[in-house]
Amino acid sequence: MRWIAALLSMLPASSSLMEVPVVRDAVTVPYYEDAFVPRPVAQIAVELVASGEGAFLRVVVAALGPDVDPLPGIAGAPGANLRTAEELERLLREQTLQLVARVGADQVPGRLVEIEWARVPQRRIGEDGLVDFAAMTESPWPVRAVFESEVLPAGETWCYLQADGVPRLAVHASPQHILAVESRGEREAVR
Amino acid sequence: MARVVVAAALLGGAMAQQGQPPPIEPAQLPEDWARRDLEGKWAAFRAATGDAKADSRSKAAWAMALRASGDAELLEWIAVHEGWRHVGPALAQLDAPQLMRAAAWNLGALDSHDKDNAEKLMRERGAVALGWFRANLLAQRGKGAAIFAELLAAHEAADAARYLRPLDPMQVLVPWLDAPAQLVEFGARLEAEPKVRYVQQVLRALDGVIVFGDVDDLIVQKVLALSRHVHQAVSSAAFSTLSKLPAGRVPFAALLPMARDASLAAAKRQLATTTLSYSSHPAAFFALHEIAETECDPGRLAAVVRLGEIGDDTTERLLQRLGDRVDEETAKSIQAALRRIGERKHTQSFLQPVPLRLLLWRVAWLRVKQDPRAEDHGRAASALLAAQNARGALEPALEQLLATPVRDHPFPADEAPKVEEQLRAFVAELRRR
């Protein structure tokens, strides 16, 4: 019980913590690779969440999703991209995947709040020469990472999911709406 | 209750940190490492890490160990046969003489992570990369042309004498793809014996085909020949390699007779069926339908699975028609395939660039051939795309398709222009509706 008391003592006194967050707007889009004919290699879900303090963005990057294109060839199972999961693993291990909001001249970092691990569908040809369409990777991979921004200021804000310091996804939002979501390799913003 | 909610919120951040991937530690090289030749080291590497599709974290651990031991030759073999992404940074940290040619080899890699990161290395070392291209004229063409032009515009060439000349696929891949029927397992050896051909050499070359990327008909034919090899692992690896080729290069015309060859083992026929399903040629699509309809065809279940992933409304009709006239296992696969087609329609995946082009090519090709199915497929495609046209999404998809030149045509040179003409005519019809 002492540790709970210690945690509570660090909290600001606010009744807003008792409010249940409400999703005010949501967009789910495919994330396209940067290629001559871009394929959707990940799924991005963006939510605008209203809480007592204001509204913040929740950005979920997933290597699994109904529109996610797999690795080429027999090994690839539609709806999952192992290369995306591998890349997520590297970026999270090296702590170079970040959600950053541009507020005026400042860059305000967000938080990584959740990582989901799971085995990824990876078809394989067995020793008998038959394709096992239901095979999975032996080890789990990070298949989903959830980031949250700080509370958005009034007016319009651009938030970026940066990988290795390079913006890979841009979210244009106000505290009322998600205005656009753009991924690298996509020709037009989605909205 | 409020205390639990608050504690959970605070712990959420900490739990995310607990889910953080752990750091990768360098692998432990075997004690007999110094006594192994390059084939012996390759054998140990693959025994420890698995094939090219295996866990990339174990590959990364070995890359760290090989960088520390200075094993540049083995690092190059891994870059050339399994891809830059595993070992490129280690080669760069060593500034190995093999660095530039390994990066150049990966410029055509079919895995974009390999290609993009090899390009990135060349940009980061622009001056010496340009110097290397200047010293090796052949590398300036083909898959190296774009990066060479970029470097030329941005850098002054620096001395690149320390870097080795480009690799030649005729020497790196072709000798091992010409595999005899008798192959030996490397086993616990530490060194290769002269004039002995090993299974691992052939498997390595098959992986290297995909990393090299810029394959010509000669190499495709050699891989196709290996799909009939008596050694199961070699045959399976050859089918796997064929399935990863650009869709227009998958040799469906040679795979289809294999899928139908009653003298071939059932597993090979199933693999041939699965592999031809990755071809973008409409004939492969229609062949899959025939196989799905054929009772007792060893490729039937594979055809049904793949049709769930690439099929359209005409596929739905066929699968529904098969209905109850099949065994329980096939019935389950058919239901799963129908669900998958339904999901793809729900998410508008038919408007994605690749599925849209394949759908339109089918109609166009049938019209070029004056095939009696042309009218039915045209009607079905038109209805499908109309149903996908929520919020006017079809027009931008068609515009993007017409604006994107085709790099990977499955049609012969004399047929391709006619198919494109029919495709554009069909698009015009869709726009008028």
Side-chain angles (χ1 to χ4, degrees), chain B residues 260-334:
Chain B
R260 289 175 168 155
D261 185 354
S263 69
L264 271 188
K268 272 209 179 30
R269 290 180 65 184
Q270 189 227 46
L271 266 177
T273 301
T274 309
T275 305
L276 77 87
S277 76
Y278 291 95
S279 167
S280 55
H281 198 289
F285 180 83
F286 296 125
L288 279 181
H289 284 74
E290 288 170 21
I291 293 169
E293 261 191 301
T294 307
E295 198 176 339
C296 300
D297 191 307
R300 187 182 210 187
L301 281 179
V304 168
V305 169
R306 287 292 293 146
L307 284 172
E309 294 161 6
I310 62 173
D312 57 19
D313 280 357
T314 63
T315 313
E316 263 188 339
R317 271 191 261 142
L318 164 74
L319 294 178
Q320 283 161 352
R321 209 167 55 234
L322 289 175
D324 301 330
R325 298 185 284 121
V326 296
D327 59 71
E328 194 180 325
E329 190 185 10
T330 308
K332 276 190 193 162
S333 289
I334 287 174

Side-chain angles (χ1 to χ4, degrees), chain A residues 1 7-8 11 18 30 32-33 36-38 40 66-67 72-75 78 83 86-87 89 92-93 95 112-115 117 122-123 125 127-131 133 139-141 187, chain B residues 2-3 6 10 12 16 19-24 53 55-57 85 111-113 232 236 240 243-244 267 270-271 274-275 278 302 305 309 340 347 349 352-354 400 404-405 407:
Chain A
M1 294 302 289
L7 284 172
L8 287 172
L11 294 175
M18 312 300 274
Y32 290 92
E33 64 179 344
F36 186 73
V37 180
D67 266 350
I74 291 172
R83 199 68 76 240
E86 290 176 348
E87 189 66 359
E89 196 270 352
L92 292 169
R93 174 164 36 83
Q95 297 185 34
L112 171 64
V113 297
E114 185 185 333
I115 303 171
W117 289 74
Q122 185 187 29
R123 294 169 175 177
I125 304 173
E127 287 182 7
D128 55 3
L130 291 171
V131 179
F133 287 97
S139 304
W141 289 88
R187 309 224 171 165
Chain B
R3 284 180 176 177
V6 163
L10 281 170
Q20 202 83 357
I24 293 180
K53 299 182 296 297
D55 196 315
S56 61
R57 290 167 291 203
R85 69 189 186 283
D111 187 317
S112 61
H113 282 81
Q232 181 67 64
S236 296
S240 175
S243 76
K244 292 181 212 170
Q270 189 227 46
L271 266 177
T274 309
T275 305
Y278 291 95
V305 169
E309 294 161 6
R340 182 77 189 117
T347 58
S349 74
Q352 297 283 350
V354 172
Q400 183 182 345
T404 306
R407 277 185 178 174

